[in-house]
Structure formats: structure tokens, C-alpha cells
């Protein structure tokens, strides 16, 4: 068995990206993303597999994985909550939202709730400054947050695996001067 | 009645507009691309874009046509276009709206640019957090292939083009054009030393143009309506409309498309509805976190590249962050320095280490442990970062610090002498992460 951590399906998903680029090394970011989508985080054996697949040394993959903030180097909860705290969000109440989530889930920043559902992270600007405060949970944005909305979102996710409060294509109306 | 004509937001302002290929086509979409493929020479397109005066909407404001003209005409081998959709400058969220609501507008601009510079491959570098945006773009690209407006031998012209989405993974620095190239090549996003410039040695060492989403979205309109029309909008050397993203303590935050040259006062008070709770304005940032802070006395400055520069800041990405009278400026500077310290790529010592030291001093001042001489120490540190780094990140990170001290030095001194923050003595101040 050539690959130890990545499934055949994951390998195939990565290989499907090959035609986009003139060389294998360019696949490093897509491969790490796909691996993380499939196994939840970027493990050392996964990085070794990626190196093997892309004809790279493991360190070439590792140095990329540790540079970018979206790769989880350790397992995280089923839902990764990332709340923005940069200036525009903080000016309109991001910090109380972060405190609220900490209290609600009884976890500190960087921790995972006991039931394994939620991990809380605080992150820098996610480009939703006009609809602040906001957070990203897995692959969706949640904007114009209030404690009540947070309650609803977390409860939806826990019971249904998704929430209607997730933002669709850019939520603010077209505004005219 | 709205005062200003919409250009980039015009389609999406129509009720029921979905941004699909069919909807875009109905508005006259892809006729500009068809026109240039059938009638226009690459040199004419570049001339037209030059004449329009279009300048980069990502931050630097470099003339777009000139950038395209730097691609060597006699180059043998591939050339590339990279669309910079790494929108990460704090306060900026316009490209997200353009991509999510009208993706084909930008794709058509990319296609025209590729024809003009002779590129057969283009990458959209979209920030990793924009999952929805990436999905929308992938769908739009699939529609465009299906409709044969990209792909092989487009409109029977012999010109072929592939467009791919390349997703980032969380790194502000990848919005810097050479870091973006490194990232597509599968490396850490560390900016390259320039020269050589990307027009000569860019992606995979081949000639490359890197343009922002909003810049490219303007291109079909310039082709359709002419350079003179475009140049008639705006003021002086700042032509066309600009999408200003207003955020912070205003009543109606949002992205507003207006001609360049409207004043900050009009933007904040008339267009964005003024300050929340009828409070007084204390400070604003006119062009994203990297742009130096400005004060109420600058409210009558027109929002164009030159005027904002003359007033001591920069128009940058057009992101206006508004702070009311209750905002602690030391806290705001600290908040932004947390961002820059987190995002420094670590390549250059002055930036990597300096950002940490500056942050440490700002934190102690804000938390009531400031020492006499700290303010001068901050300025000294900033001076040791400025101009001593590979990329412009060094200048960017000191902008908010130097400007906030320049405009609000007494507030820094007050924190030190009173051993605490007069604005929020008990509140949680920073979120370590």
C-alpha cells in the first residue's frame, strides 16, 4: 500500500485537480484542502502521502501546511466556529459575541466543547465588515450576529447539521449613493 | 432618486437578477469580449484601457493598461493572468459582492485581458474562506465553458482560454501579488524581491498580469462604452466609479458604488447615514487597515487617489472604517497591530519581530502599564520597519500606528500617565489567538 493516510477517493479527488496546473507542486494547497475535507485535519501521515503523490519532500508540504491559517494541524470539533475580531467587527460588538459563545459552550478560545461538536477560534478579517459582527462555521458565513442568532445557529447545527441563517450570495442589498 | 449611475452594480441592482450566464447575457454580457475577438487587436484594447485611465482597485492604484503593456510582445511560451480575489484588507468586502452576485462580469473582464496580453490560462486566486464565492465562480466558469465563451477557439477566432479557480488557505499576505504567485506555485506566501516584476518573470517565471476583481470587472464596460465615457466619470487621474465599503459605527454600512471624487463627508453622512446613535466622528480610515487614520478635519477631502494621498493617507482598497467619539484610539491601533502581527509572513526580520514589539508596547499602554517614553519608542520602532522589508507590508503595518500617534498623541500619553484606558477600563480588550 503506497498511501497510508489518504483514502483512494481522496487521492482521486486530488488527481482530478492535476490538469489545472503545469506542475505537481502547485497542487500543494488544493491537496491539503481536500485531505482536510476528507479527514478533518492535516495529519503527518496525510502530509507524507501528499508529498509522495506530488513528488515533493514531506517538509515541502509541511512548511506550506503550517504557513496558512486554515489548515488544522490537530483534530477540531465537528463544527469549527471562527469569529472575526478585526477592527470593523470589534467596533460593533464582536468581543461580546466571542465572550457569549465562550460562556455558552463553556470553552476558552482554541478549545473544543465536551460533546465534540464545536471548536471556537478567533480569527482576523473575513471580509464581511459591513455585516458585522460575523463568524464562519465550516464552509459558511453567518453575519449581523446577535446572541439570539448565535443560539439559533448552534442549535440548528447540532440538531439538523445545517442552519438557514447561513449567508447566501452577498447578503446586503445593492446600495446607491 | 439615486444621485449616481451604477456601473459595476447595475446588473445586480435589478430585481430578480441571479448572476447566472443567462441573466448576464440578457444585459449584453459577453458582447464586449465577442467584439474584441472579432474586431479588436490586442494593441488597441490595451490602448483603450490606457486611455480610460483605469487604475488598480486592489490598493496600489497602478494604471491597468500600462501594466498590461509591460507583457513582452515577443515572448515565446505561456503568459498568465491572475485575478486577485484574495480580498483580505480589513474593512474591504467589495470583491465578495462582485463575485457572488455577478461573477460573469469579472470573467468577461478576465477574458478580454487574456486576449489583450496573449494569455491562454488564467487563475482566480480566491481567499480560502470564500467557500461560497469559490462555488459560485466554479459554477459560472462551467456555464461559460458550456456557452463556449471560454474554452477552445472562442467565437471561431482561434483564441483559446482556460480559467481556473485557485483557492487560498488563510493568509493576508497572499494578496501581495508576488506572494500570490508563490501560493499558486504551491509554496508559502512569501513576497518576492522586485525587480524582476511579474510582467517579465511572474507565475512559473512567465510573463504575468495580476489584477484585482473590481479592476477586471470594469473592463467590459470600457470596451462597450468607450474609454472617453469611462474617463468622464470621476476626477482628475482617478477615473471611473469606485466601490467604497463603509463599515464600523455608521448607520448604513455597506458597499456603495459612486464616482471617485465624492467627499468623505458625503460618503459617511449622506450616503452611509451618519454615525450611529448621533455620536460625533472621531477618526476614520479611508482605504483599508493599511491606510493611515484621518480625522474629522479631513472630512471634506475628495475620495480619489491624489486627494487622499495629499491629505496624508491612501485610497487603498476603498474601505472606509468609521470610529465614533467613544472609540479608544490606542485600542484601535492595538487591534490593527494584532492583525498585522498575525499576518506578517515572517520573511523579513524588521516586520516579523518589529510587529511583535510594537504590539507588545501598545498592549501595555492600553492595559495601564505604559512607560514614559513608550510613544517615542513606538515611533522609533516604526521607523526601523519602514522601507526595510521586501514588500509593502512594512509600510502598511506602521500606517495606523504612526498616524494614530500623529493625530491622537495626547490620548496615548493620557493612558500612560493615568495608568489605564479612559474609555473601557474594565472591558475585555484583546482576544489573544
Amino acid at each position: 500500500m503506497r498511501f497510508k493516510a489518504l483514502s483512494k477517493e481522496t487521492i482521486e479527488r486530488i488527481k482530478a485537480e492535476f490538469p489545472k496546473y503545469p506542475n505537481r507542486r502547485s497542487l500543494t494547497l488544493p491537496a491539503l484542502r481536500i485531505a482536510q475535507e476528507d479527514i478533518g485535519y492535516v495529519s503527518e501521515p496525510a502530509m507524507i502521502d501528499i508529498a509522495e503523490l506530488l513528488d515533493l519532500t514531506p517538509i515541502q508540504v509541511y512548511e506550506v501546511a503550517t504557513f496558512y491559517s486554515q489548515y488544522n494541524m490537530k483534530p477540531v470539533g465537528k463544527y469549527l466556529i471562527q469569529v472575526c475580531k478585526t477592527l470593523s467587527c470589534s467596533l460593533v460588538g464582536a468581543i461580546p459575541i466571542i465572550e457569549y459563545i465562550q460562556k455558552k459552550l463553556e470553552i476558552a478560545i482554541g478549545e473544543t466543547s465536551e460533546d465534540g461538536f464545536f471548536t471556537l477560534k478567533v480569527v482576523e478579517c473575513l471580509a464581511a465588515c459591513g455585516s458585522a459582527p460575523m463568524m464562519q462555521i465550516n464552509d459558511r458565513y453567518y453575519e449581523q450576529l446577535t446572541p439570539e442568532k448565535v443560539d439559533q445557529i448552534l442549535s440548528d447545527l447540532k440538531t439538523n447539521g445545517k442552519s438557514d441563517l447561513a449567508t447566501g450570495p452577498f447578503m446586503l442589498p445593492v446600495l446607491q449613493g | 432618486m439615486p444621485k449616481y449611475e451604477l456601473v459595476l452594480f447595475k446588473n445586480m441592482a435589478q430585481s430578480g437578477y441571479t448572476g447566472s450566464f443567462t441573466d448576464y447575457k440578457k444585459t449584453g454580457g459577453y458582447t464586449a469580449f465577442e467584439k474584441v475577438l472579432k474586431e479588436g487587436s490586442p494593441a488597441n484594447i490595451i490602448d483603450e484601457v490606457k486611455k480610460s485611465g483605469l487604475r488598480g482597485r486592489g490598493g496600489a492604484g497602478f494604471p491597468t493598461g500600462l501594466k498590461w503593456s509591460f507583457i513582452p510582445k515577443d515572448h515565446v511560451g505561456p503568459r498568465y493572468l491572475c485575478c486577485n480575489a484574495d480580498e483580505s484588507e480589513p474593512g474591504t468586502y467589495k470583491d465578495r459582492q462582485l463575485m457572488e452576485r455577478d461573477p460573469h462580469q469579472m470573467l468577461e473582464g478576465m477574458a478580454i485581458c487574456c486576449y489583450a496580453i496573449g494569455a491562454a490560462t488564467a487563475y482566480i486566486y480566491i481567499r480560502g474562506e470564500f467557500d461560497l464565492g469559490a462555488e459560485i465562480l466554479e459554477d459560472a466558469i462551467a456555464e461559460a465553458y458550456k456557452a463556449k465563451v471560454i474554452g477552445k477557439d472562442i467565437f471561431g477566432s482561434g483564441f483559446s482560454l482556460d480559467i481556473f479557480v485557485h483557492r487560498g488557505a488563510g493568509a493576508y499576505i497572499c494578496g501581495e501579488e508576488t506572494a500570490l504567485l508563490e501560493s499558486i506555485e504551491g509554496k508559502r506566501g512569501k513576497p518576492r524581491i522586485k525587480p524582476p516584476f511579474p510582467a517579465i518573470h511572474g507565475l512559473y517565471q512567465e510573463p504575468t498580469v495580476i489584477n484585482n476583481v473590481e479592476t477586471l470587472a470594469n473592463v467590459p464596460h470600457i470596451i462597450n462604452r468607450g474609454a472617453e465615457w469611462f474617463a468622464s466619470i470621476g476626477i482628475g487621474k482617478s477615473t471611473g466609479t469606485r466601490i467604497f465599503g463603509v463599515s464600523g459605527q455608521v448607520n448604513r454600512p455597506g458597499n456603495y458604488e459612486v464616482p471617485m471624487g465624492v467627499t468623505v463627508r458625503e460618503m459617511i453622512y449622506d450616503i452611509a447615514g451618519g454615525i450611529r446613535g448621533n455620536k460625533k466622528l472621531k477618526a476614520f480610515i479611508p482605504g483599508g487597515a493599511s491606510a493611515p487614520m484621518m480625522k474629522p478635519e479631513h472630512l471634506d477631502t475628495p475620495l480619489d487617489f491624489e486627494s487622499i494621498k495629499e491629505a496624508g493617507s491612501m485610497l487603498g482598497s476603498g474601505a472606509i472604517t468609521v470610529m465614533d467619539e467613544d472609540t479608544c484610539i490606542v485600542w484601535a491601533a492595538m487591534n490593527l497591530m494584532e492583525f498585522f502581527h498575525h499576518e506578517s509572513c515572517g520573511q523579513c526580520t524588521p516586520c516579523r519581530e518589529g510587529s511583535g514589539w510594537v504590539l507588545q508596547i501598545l498592549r501595555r499602554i492600553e492595559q495601564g502599564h505604559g512607560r514614559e517614553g513608550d510613544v517615542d519608542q513606538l515611533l522609533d520602532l516604526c521607523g526601523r520597519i519602514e522601507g526595510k522589508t521586501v514588500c509593502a507590508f512594512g509600510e502598511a503595518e506602521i500606517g495606523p500606528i504612526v498616524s494614530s500617534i500623529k493625530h491622537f498623541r495626547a490620548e496615548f500619553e493620557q493612558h500612560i500617565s493615568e495608568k489605564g484606558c479612559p474609555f473601557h477600563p474594565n472591558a475585555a480588550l484583546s482576544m489573544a489567538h
Side-chain angles (χ1 to χ4, degrees):
Chain A
M1 188 64 184
R2 195 162 147 231
F3 299 110
K4 293 182 175 66
L6 301 183
S7 68
K8 215 177 135 198
E9 291 72 31
T10 305
I11 299 285
E12 289 311 313
R13 280 186 69 200
I14 296 170
K15 280 185 176 169
E17 301 284 310
F18 280 11
K20 289 186 180 178
Y21 304 96
N23 68 34
R24 291 276 177 97
R25 190 171 185 179
S26 293
L27 271 300
T28 311
L29 271 73
L32 285 165
R33 170 181 282 273
I34 292 166
Q36 177 160 300
E37 278 171 7
D38 288 0
I39 59 179
Y41 76 111
V42 173
S43 67
E44 228 169 78
M47 287 187 275
I48 293 168
D49 280 1
I50 290 171
E52 170 82 21
L53 183 65
L54 303 182
D55 293 328
L56 300 171
T57 59
I59 185 65
Q60 287 177 309
V61 178
Y62 184 78
E63 67 167 8
V64 170
T66 51
F67 182 83
Y68 297 91
S69 64
Q70 283 193 286
Y71 300 123
N72 305 320
M73 305 307 287
K74 286 185 285 192
V76 293
K78 189 172 177 194
Y79 299 104
L80 176 60
I81 306 171
Q82 307 193 74
V83 192
C84 171
K85 63 115 294 261
T86 316
L87 189 58
S88 296
C89 277
S90 277
L91 283 170
V92 296
I95 290 173
I97 290 287
I98 295 164
E99 288 171 335
Y100 180 79
I101 298 172
Q102 285 180 282
K103 224 171 135 187
K104 182 180 168 68
L105 297 175
E106 298 176 329
I107 51 173
I109 294 162
E111 290 180 352
T112 301
S113 59
E114 247 183 42
D115 57 14
F117 268 98
F118 300 106
T119 299
L120 174 65
K121 277 191 182 177
V122 171
V123 296
E124 298 292 352
C125 191
L126 293 180
C129 321
S131 39
M134 67 82 65
M135 63 183 172
Q136 175 169 26
I137 302 182
N138 294 357
D139 60 355
R140 284 296 176 264
Y141 277 17
Y142 299 84
E143 300 168 71
Q144 295 179 333
L145 293 177
T146 59
E148 296 71 36
K149 269 174 120 174
V150 169
D151 286 344
Q152 181 71 47
I153 293 160
L154 299 189
S155 142
D156 286 349
L157 289 174
K158 211 169 165 177
T159 48
N160 306 326
K162 64 185 174 78
S163 172
D164 291 340
L165 292 175
T167 308
F170 200 79
M171 72 182 300
L172 295 173
V174 174
L175 299 160
Q176 286 193 270
Chain B
M1 268 298 282
K3 208 161 143 192
Y4 303 112
E5 187 199 338
L6 294 175
V7 178
L8 301 174
F9 281 172
K10 189 181 171 190
N11 294 343
M12 66 178 93
Q14 297 168 19
S15 78
Y17 186 81
T18 63
S20 69
F21 179 82
T22 319
D23 280 7
Y24 183 64
K25 197 86 176 62
K26 273 189 212 149
T27 68
Y30 287 104
T31 50
F33 183 41
E34 190 171 357
K35 187 164 118 185
V36 299
L37 279 185
K38 289 186 173 158
E39 301 163 20
S41 72
N44 288 346
I45 301 167
I46 294 177
D47 268 354
E48 194 72 2
V49 175
K50 270 188 191 168
K51 269 191 263 168
S52 76
L54 175 64
R55 294 167 67 177
R57 297 324 196 214
F62 193 82
T64 306
L66 192 62
K67 199 182 227 185
W68 294 6
S69 73
F70 291 155
I71 298 292
K73 311 269 175 300
D74 52 357
H75 177 76
V76 180
R79 301 145 192 224
Y80 294 101
L81 166 67
C82 295
C83 171
N84 189 342
D86 191 51
E87 185 161 66
S88 307
E89 182 70 30
T92 318
Y93 52 102
K94 65 188 174 65
D95 295 337
R96 198 175 139 227
Q97 184 166 0
L98 289 169
M99 288 187 286
E100 291 181 357
R101 299 287 292 278
D102 203 7
H104 286 283
Q105 177 174 243
M106 168 190 123
L107 292 178
E108 186 179 8
M110 289 180 71
I112 295 167
C113 171
C114 285
Y115 178 65
I117 64 167
T121 309
Y123 293 97
I124 301 168
Y125 188 97
I126 184 167
R127 67 176 297 177
E129 294 86 349
F130 284 175
D131 291 276
L132 183 66
E135 289 163 26
I136 290 170
L137 284 173
E138 294 278 15
D139 289 348
I141 290 170
E143 285 182 312
Y145 272 110
K146 207 173 152 214
K148 299 193 164 70
V149 294
I150 58 172
K152 296 258 174 294
D153 188 23
I154 306 160
F155 299 123
S157 65
F159 177 70
S160 299
L161 170 65
D162 285 313
I163 299 180
F164 301 117
V165 174
H166 182 92
R167 303 176 66 176
Y172 166 75
I173 194 61
C174 291
E176 196 281 341
E177 59 178 13
T178 59
L180 182 152
L181 300 177
E182 291 287 299
S183 186
I184 296 179
E185 292 181 9
K187 303 170 196 164
R188 293 185 147 218
K190 291 193 291 194
R192 298 174 182 171
I193 291 170
K194 293 190 268 194
F197 289 93
I200 312 299
H201 294 283
L203 187 62
Y204 308 114
Q205 294 302 315
E206 305 288 354
T208 303
V209 162
I210 300 120
N211 279 153
N212 168 261
V213 170
E214 185 186 350
T215 311
L216 289 162
N218 271 295
V219 171
H221 302 284
I222 292 170
I223 300 299
N224 276 331
R225 299 173 76 173
E228 277 171 30
W229 160 79
F230 190 86
S232 73
I233 306 168
I235 183 170
K237 288 181 183 163
S238 300
T239 59
T241 65
R242 190 80 202 257
I243 300 169
F244 291 101
V246 189
S247 67
Q249 287 144 340
V250 287
N251 283 316
R252 287 198 303 270
N255 286 322
Y256 295 91
E257 182 181 17
V258 296
M260 274 198 267
V262 305
T263 64
V264 183
R265 186 186 302 279
E266 182 179 351
M267 182 55 71
I268 294 178
Y269 285 94
D270 297 344
I271 299 177
I275 313 293
R276 281 189 185 189
N278 264 328
K279 287 190 181 160
K280 286 202 188 88
L281 174 71
K282 180 168 187 176
F284 65 92
I285 302 172
S290 307
M293 280 187 205
M294 298 173 84
K295 289 175 83 171
E297 68 194 57
H298 302 117
L299 271 173
D300 292 310
T301 314
L303 284 160
D304 63 78
F305 290 110
E306 280 72 27
S307 304
I308 294 287
K309 195 175 170 198
E310 265 169 45
S313 188
M314 65 177 193
L315 196 60
S317 61
I320 303 170
T321 307
V322 177
M323 292 168 259
D324 72 18
E325 58 190 314
D326 296 335
T327 309
C328 170
I329 290 296
V330 178
W331 168 83
M334 181 190 79
N335 180 292
L336 291 174
M337 205 62 214
E338 285 174 345
F339 168 81
F340 285 114
H341 179 52
H342 184 261
E343 299 298 339
S344 171
C345 83
Q347 179 172 216
C348 308
T349 310
C351 172
R352 184 187 64 238
E353 302 300 321
S355 61
W357 294 342
V358 169
L359 176 58
Q360 198 182 327
I361 295 172
L362 287 168
R363 276 193 175 142
R364 79 175 175 229
I365 297 175
E366 176 63 3
Q367 289 164 0
H369 311 297
R371 303 170 195 164
E372 207 180 313
D374 267 358
V375 180
D376 288 322
Q377 178 83 65
L378 282 173
L379 292 174
D380 182 63
L381 274 169
C382 289
R384 288 164 196 270
I385 297 171
E386 188 180 13
K388 295 174 180 64
T389 54
V390 163
C391 78
F393 189 103
E395 279 74 49
E397 68 186 329
I398 67 162
I401 313 307
V402 174
S403 59
S404 58
I405 294 174
K406 183 178 156 200
H407 296 313
F408 301 95
R409 186 170 179 130
E411 202 169 304
F412 283 78
E413 302 287 7
Q414 189 189 358
H415 276 72
I416 296 169
S417 64
E418 292 178 7
K419 296 188 171 27
C421 175
F423 294 89
H424 22 59
N426 301 312
L429 300 168
S430 83
M431 288 288 167
H433 64 102

